[in-house]
Amino acid sequence: MTEREQQILDLIKQDPMIAQNTLAEMLDLSRSAVAGHIMNLTKKGFIQGKGYVIAPERFATVIGGANMDLCGRSTSELLMGDSNPGVLTSGAGGVARNIADNLSRLGSKVQFIGAIGDDLWGEQLLESCRTAGIGVEQCLIVPGKATSTYLSIHDPSGELQLALNDMSLINELNVEQLTKRAAMLNRSSAIVLDANLSESALDYLFHAHADKPIFVDPVSSVKAGKIKPYLEYIHTLKPNLSEAELLAECKIEHPQQLPDVANKLHSMGVKRLLISLGKEGAYSSDEGQGHFISASKTQVNNVTGAGDALMAGLAHGYLQSWDWATSVEFALGAARLALQSNSTINSIMSEKAVYRLIEESTC
């Protein structure tokens, strides 16, 4: 939505019966210009029918892991089994929480459902979500439990070398708790899940909310197996190479196999697929129409949050009613922007910042 379209939509929300001439006078525009903006708002789905009926606000509900990230980055070559000089940082993390954070910064409305301990780190997690504009009213606060933590060790280039996670708290987000939050899930325009959720929670979400477009991040090859029984319910899947191998039950030895892998996943029910290939780029497929996307050169300071930004970009594109190709290009731009930050979340993440980066890379 352009800035001018947002101004017009805000005025229509205040007075749905406002005349186009009045809008033109208030914004110092011609009536024909106002009519053109209203036509665009109608095409984009923000206005429905005659009399300026405002469409219900689209939003995504993101469900899954939330934890404190403890990150160490060596300043010289890592020596295993020894103490290494480096820089240590901490901050809000978790795959689903990071996706929600990026999605909100991109301009989409987001509700987050996660399990949070009633401790200081839990308070910090909730506050970080609120600061990013994420709705956290439906989060589960677990009395007497510690907030989940994730410890990662990186080499001087930012590449992950080792990680440990303590994520057992997420099992408290069970079917009973999710059922209590069904009303909000039913109102969602899209649901984004990560595979940190328990098998019973995933089973409930895929079956009870199968009418919703469900976006899934497999998280890791260890956890990806949990979503394998539910591929037919997945609208958009974002695996890396090893996760795609596991889900498609085949070894990928050369890139030429990717179209066959994608087609196999589509035959199992996945509608849209973006396989992350790291430094080699990505493979995009929309119900069998696939192609390779070469990686664009970019500064890499931290690889931890790139996948989360990638998924957020795909979900944002869907909420904005963009076509798949536009969503993929935008999502890859969001991932590159994330790579440039020393933190898991790039504080300058926004739709404008992503478009600016895409424009710079094409010059």
Side-chain angles (χ1 to χ4, degrees):
M1 186 188 305
T2 67
E3 184 176 350
R4 183 65 79 185
E5 288 169 356
Q6 183 65 63
Q7 290 175 334
I8 291 174
L9 187 62
D10 289 341
L11 290 171
I12 290 174
K13 286 180 179 179
Q14 295 172 24
D15 181 6
M17 301 305 294
I18 193 170
Q20 289 187 5
N21 283 334
T22 303
L23 287 169
E25 292 174 3
M26 294 177 71
L27 297 173
D28 194 23
L29 295 172
S30 67
R31 184 182 178 282
S32 61
V34 169
H37 289 306
I38 289 175
M39 183 181 298
N40 288 335
L41 286 167
T42 303
K43 289 179 179 178
K44 293 177 181 179
F46 293 105
I47 295 175
Q48 296 179 338
K50 298 180 179 179
Y52 304 143
V53 178
I54 306 300
E57 190 168 17
R58 291 165 63 83
F59 72 95
T61 298
V62 183
I63 314 171
N67 52 261
M68 287 299 293
D69 277 343
L70 310 177
C71 178
R73 181 170 179 173
S74 174
T75 53
S76 58
E77 184 179 355
L78 273 171
L79 297 175
M80 302 306 292
D82 201 354
S83 177
N84 291 265
V87 177
L88 304 177
T89 58
S90 64
V95 172
R97 197 221 69 87
N98 290 345
I99 293 170
D101 194 311
N102 281 291
L103 188 52
S104 181
R105 291 174 189 269
L106 290 172
S108 288
K109 185 176 179 182
V110 188
Q111 292 289 332
F112 175 62
I113 301 176
I116 311 292
D118 63 343
D119 54 10
L120 181 58
W121 275 352
E123 293 176 8
Q124 291 177 6
L125 275 178
L126 292 172
E127 184 56 32
S128 71
C129 289
R130 296 187 188 102
T131 300
I134 304 167
V136 293
E137 296 80 13
Q138 299 296 325
C139 277
L140 173 65
I141 311 301
V142 186
K145 297 286 187 177
T147 296
S148 299
T149 52
Y150 174 82
L151 170 65
S152 61
I153 304 297
H154 303 255
D155 64 22
S157 69
E159 289 290 340
L160 176 67
Q161 298 299 314
L162 179 68
L164 295 172
N165 68 77
D166 178 4
M167 300 286 291
S168 59
L169 186 66
I170 199 169
N171 293 326
E172 300 289 337
L173 196 58
N174 53 33
V175 174
E176 178 184 359
Q177 294 296 338
L178 290 170
T179 302
K180 294 178 181 178
R181 293 155 173 80
M184 189 181 71
L185 291 169
N186 288 331
R187 295 196 304 273
S188 304
S189 304
I191 297 173
V192 184
L193 310 177
D194 75 25
N196 284 308
L197 292 162
S198 68
E199 292 183 13
S200 59
L202 289 168
D203 185 75
Y204 164 77
L205 289 166
F206 281 118
H207 285 107
H209 300 284
D211 60 322
K212 297 293 181 181
I214 299 179
F215 290 61
V216 178
D217 190 316
V219 178
S220 70
S221 56
V222 174
K223 298 178 180 179
K226 290 192 287 184
I227 67 170
K228 194 171 180 180
Y230 309 107
L231 294 177
E232 65 181 294
Y233 301 104
I234 296 178
H235 179 279
T236 300
L237 179 66
K238 184 202 69 63
N240 60 25
L241 200 59
S242 62
E243 293 159 359
E245 286 181 332
L246 185 147
L247 293 169
E249 297 181 335
C250 62
K251 180 67 176 176
I252 303 174
E253 297 179 342
H254 51 80
Q256 289 76 13
Q257 291 177 268
L258 286 171
D260 291 335
V261 171
N263 287 334
K264 186 171 183 180
L265 290 170
H266 287 311
S267 71
M268 295 176 178
V270 176
K271 293 181 177 62
R272 292 177 171 177
L273 177 69
L274 185 63
I275 302 175
S276 174
L277 306 175
K279 296 178 181 178
E280 303 303 317
Y283 185 81
S284 166
S285 185
D286 182 5
E287 296 188 294
Q289 301 298 314
H291 65 282
F292 290 92
I293 304 171
S294 299
S296 299
K297 292 183 179 180
T298 192
Q299 179 182 351
V300 179
N301 289 322
N302 187 348
V303 300
T304 303
D308 304 330
L310 186 65
M311 176 57 92
L314 294 175
H316 180 68
Y318 177 82
L319 292 174
Q320 301 305 310
S321 300
W322 297 342
D323 61 41
W324 175 240
T326 302
S327 296
V328 169
E329 180 186 25
F330 180 84
L332 290 169
R336 293 201 302 275
L337 189 62
L339 288 170
Q340 296 179 1
S341 174
N342 289 319
S343 303
T344 303
I345 302 294
N346 193 329
S347 61
I348 68 167
M349 182 66 69
S350 68
E351 188 176 284
K352 287 185 178 180
V354 173
Y355 274 129
R356 184 163 56 247
L357 182 64
I358 293 173
E359 290 173 0
E360 291 172 354
S361 65
T362 57
C363 293

